[in-house]
Amino acid sequence: MTATSSRPTSITPLLIPLLVGGLVAIALGVFGRTHTPTGFAVGPAGFSAALPMKVWLTTGAFVLAAVQVISAMSMWGRLGVSIPPAVHRWSGRLAFLLTIPVAFHCLYALGLQYDVPRVLAHSLLGCFFYGVFTAKMLALPRRDTPGWTLPVIGGLAFTALVGLWLTSSFWFFATIGFKV
């Protein structure tokens, strides 16, 4: 009997993590839309302004997310090389920590905006990222989920972060340039 055939196939254990993740995404979107944005940044420590801070922290999270994918592939035996699981755990923790000041600024100073398609996509991807991340963290300790759970939810989180990077940092670098 292989390891994958002994895994459960029911998605019932995923209902609570997915429901809570969905509620997080919706709550962030509702807050971002109903909250009156302040229009000013809170503590862009060491950066010339809030936008470069967000761009570079998001870029750092993007790079660490790539480390997440590579280390996850290693843990699942898809690379042929062994990367310590601690690399996966710590790159994920650091990537998440880098997103916190960015998300705080986005929600506090800007809110969820929908006037420009790029900004709307960015706002929705931000809400989606935190919802998927929440679902992944709640599903992670469960051993009764299907074997595809973590690769799919992790892949969705990575995809959302790539989308966030493309609609923010990449746009900034291509439009404004490299500023600190």
Side-chain angles (χ1 to χ4, degrees):
M1 189 177 240
T2 65
T4 55
S5 65
S6 65
R7 291 292 305 250
T9 57
S10 172
I11 64 165
T12 304
L14 290 175
L15 293 180
I16 297 297
L18 292 176
L19 178 64
V20 173
L23 290 173
V24 166
I26 290 168
L28 289 171
V30 168
F31 175 79
R33 193 67 210 135
T34 59
H35 163 72
T36 303
T38 63
F40 63 91
V42 178
F47 294 92
S48 59
L51 200 52
M53 173 200 68
K54 290 170 45 178
V55 164
W56 287 106
L57 291 179
T58 302
T59 298
F62 172 71
V63 169
L64 289 167
V67 172
Q68 282 275 282
V69 170
I70 293 166
S71 60
M73 289 174 64
S74 171
M75 289 183 345
W76 288 86
R78 303 283 190 239
L79 289 183
V81 295
S82 180
I83 297 174
V87 171
H88 186 77
R89 285 191 298 273
W90 280 101
S91 62
R93 290 171 181 154
L94 292 172
F96 180 75
L97 286 175
L98 289 178
T99 69
I100 298 293
V102 176
F104 178 78
H105 177 268
C106 287
L107 285 169
Y108 182 74
L110 305 173
L112 191 144
Q113 298 180 16
Y114 57 86
D115 299 339
V116 177
R118 175 190 65 81
V119 177
L120 171 62
H122 183 75
S123 295
L124 294 176
L125 282 167
C127 296
F128 180 73
F129 170 76
Y130 279 99
V132 168
F133 180 81
T134 300
K136 182 182 177 200
M137 291 300 103
L138 292 174
L140 190 60
R142 300 192 63 122
R143 298 293 175 233
D144 56 350
T145 60
W148 53 262
T149 301
L150 294 178
V152 168
I153 296 177
L156 288 171
F158 176 75
T159 301
L161 195 53
V162 169
L164 285 166
W165 183 82
L166 288 171
T167 57
S168 62
S169 300
F170 178 77
W171 172 86
F172 183 88
F173 295 142
T175 307
I176 296 170
F178 291 87
K179 292 185 177 184
V180 177

